[in-house]
Amino acid sequence: MTDVLGMPVLVLNRFFQPVQITTVKRAMVLLYGDAAEAIDEEGEARDFGAWRALDVREGDDALPIVGGALRVPRVVHLHRYDRTPRATVRLTRRNLMFRDAHQCQYCGKRPAMRDLNIDHVLPRSRGGDDTWENLVTACRDCNLRKGWKTPDEANMRLARSPFRPKWSMTAQLLMGAGWRFKEWEAFLKAS
Ligand SMILES: [Zn+2]
């Protein structure tokens, strides 16, 4: 099961341009602290108070809160943030996991985030470096099983070759990786 707090949320700047992807956990901090408003699929922006009053519908992801459940936002708007999108995707643990859709690249499982590791395809001890092309998301079991071997030596197969994202927008990669929320579409088409 996917960890709701680790799911991706599209972040827009003041001009409604996508600037990055964050996690539900971070988006909730922004929303609660009034740094951001949540945007629904009709494009309507709501502050935390108004958002928490929304119903959780069939098929929504939700978080438990005092007195009920909170619908998970897919898009947040930083209404005071002026900067424009980054040109490249930063190589971080979080972005790697987004690229691989939180899925073990060896066995295909999607465990909770805490049970996912980052695996060096060519192990560090053998000269493998920290690059998009040498790092993949792996479950704990596969990571342990592979140990200091290459995939060939461990008789394991990668679901696909790890790659460096070419575009400037993390969200397009996420959509390619299988994250697809209808709330994102209007903003990604425009950018
Ligand atoms: Zn695995």
Side-chain angles (χ1 to χ4, degrees), residues 1-2 10 27-28 32 37 41 58 60 62 71 94 109 125 129 134 147-148 164 178 183 186 190-191:
M1 204 191 81
T2 303
L10 182 62
M28 292 314 303
Y32 186 72
E37 294 174 328
E41 69 267 29
E58 182 87 32
D60 282 336
R71 189 194 295 181
R94 200 182 68 186
K109 272 190 220 142
S125 58
D129 47 16
N134 194 47
W148 305 109
R164 171 183 299 272
E183 291 89 339
S191 64

Side-chain angles (χ1 to χ4, degrees), residues 104 106-107 139 142:
C104 174
Y106 295 105
C107 72
C139 73
C142 287

Side-chain angles (χ1 to χ4, degrees), residues 103-109 111 137-143 156:
Q103 193 166 25
C104 174
Q105 295 299 291
Y106 295 105
C107 72
K109 272 190 220 142
T137 303
C139 73
R140 199 179 276 174
D141 289 348
C142 287
N143 197 220
M156 294 165 81

Side-chain angles (χ1 to χ4, degrees), residues 134-162:
N134 194 47
L135 296 169
V136 292
T137 303
C139 73
R140 199 179 276 174
D141 289 348
C142 287
N143 197 220
L144 274 172
R145 200 180 126 206
K146 182 166 168 286
W148 305 109
K149 299 182 193 135
T150 65
D152 273 353
E153 290 164 358
N155 201 19
M156 294 165 81
R157 276 182 75 89
L158 283 166
R160 61 176 179 187
S161 297

